[in-house]
Amino acid sequence: MAYMLRLPDERGAQLRQIAEKKNTTVSGLITDYIRSEIKAGTIPSNIPGINVAKAGESIAISAPGFEASVPAHKGQTLADLLRKSAALTPSAFEHKKEWLEGIAALSGIKLKRMGAGVRIVSPITGAEYPLASGVAEDLASEIERAAK
């Protein structure tokens, strides 16, 4: 679900100018800011609404309407898959679809491309959970931490 932010037109124009100078988008600019605040310790690194926890030899991932569990030794594979798929453009995603499906089979969780990110597909229920590209990258980091 998208979060709408209301700003005065002048501030919106300033954000667009900053994003242009930094060769990113306004969304990317805000994502970078949030990550800097996580790094500074202002807020925790967990993603609101998504729970990632090591449970024995598995990593459990849950979100509203979504549950999945992957073996801990496959956590890094899933993290790499999320990170790489988040970076692909829509045309590159189609080109690499077979590769991504093969890697997804190793982790147990499938990925589907969506406009500005990916959908993770639960091997348990088939339920899909949408992730913006930046959130998919952050989920990859959460999974890496749980896999250790």
Side-chain angles (χ1 to χ4, degrees):
M1 177 186 279
Y3 181 83
M4 303 308 286
L5 182 64
R6 291 181 59 183
L7 293 171
D9 289 341
E10 297 84 0
R11 293 293 183 222
Q14 288 173 318
L15 274 175
R16 285 189 295 278
Q17 290 172 354
I18 294 167
E20 185 177 315
K21 289 288 184 184
K22 292 189 173 208
N23 199 30
T24 188
T25 62
V26 170
S27 180
L29 190 67
I30 292 170
T31 296
D32 290 345
Y33 172 71
I34 291 168
R35 287 180 178 153
S36 73
E37 291 300 316
I38 290 169
K39 187 175 180 179
T42 306
I43 61 171
S45 63
N46 63 311
I47 304 165
I50 301 175
N51 186 40
V52 177
K54 190 166 186 181
E57 293 300 314
S58 296
I59 299 170
I61 304 166
S62 62
F66 180 89
E67 287 185 29
S69 179
V70 297
H73 70 276
K74 293 184 179 179
Q76 187 62 54
T77 300
L78 178 57
D80 291 344
L81 175 64
L82 279 166
R83 201 168 272 118
K84 288 176 184 174
S85 66
L88 294 175
T89 63
S91 60
F93 191 89
E94 286 303 316
H95 179 69
K96 301 203 181 219
K97 187 175 180 182
E98 290 179 15
W99 173 79
L100 290 170
E101 288 174 354
I103 297 292
L106 293 174
S107 72
I109 294 179
K110 294 180 183 176
L111 296 181
K112 289 184 176 179
R113 180 72 189 169
M114 62 177 215
V118 296
R119 292 180 192 272
I120 52 176
V121 183
S122 171
I124 300 168
T125 64
E128 298 181 5
Y129 190 81
L131 298 167
S133 295
V135 177
E137 291 178 53
D138 294 345
L139 179 57
S141 296
E142 290 293 311
I143 291 167
E144 284 174 334
R145 281 191 282 282
K148 291 181 181 178

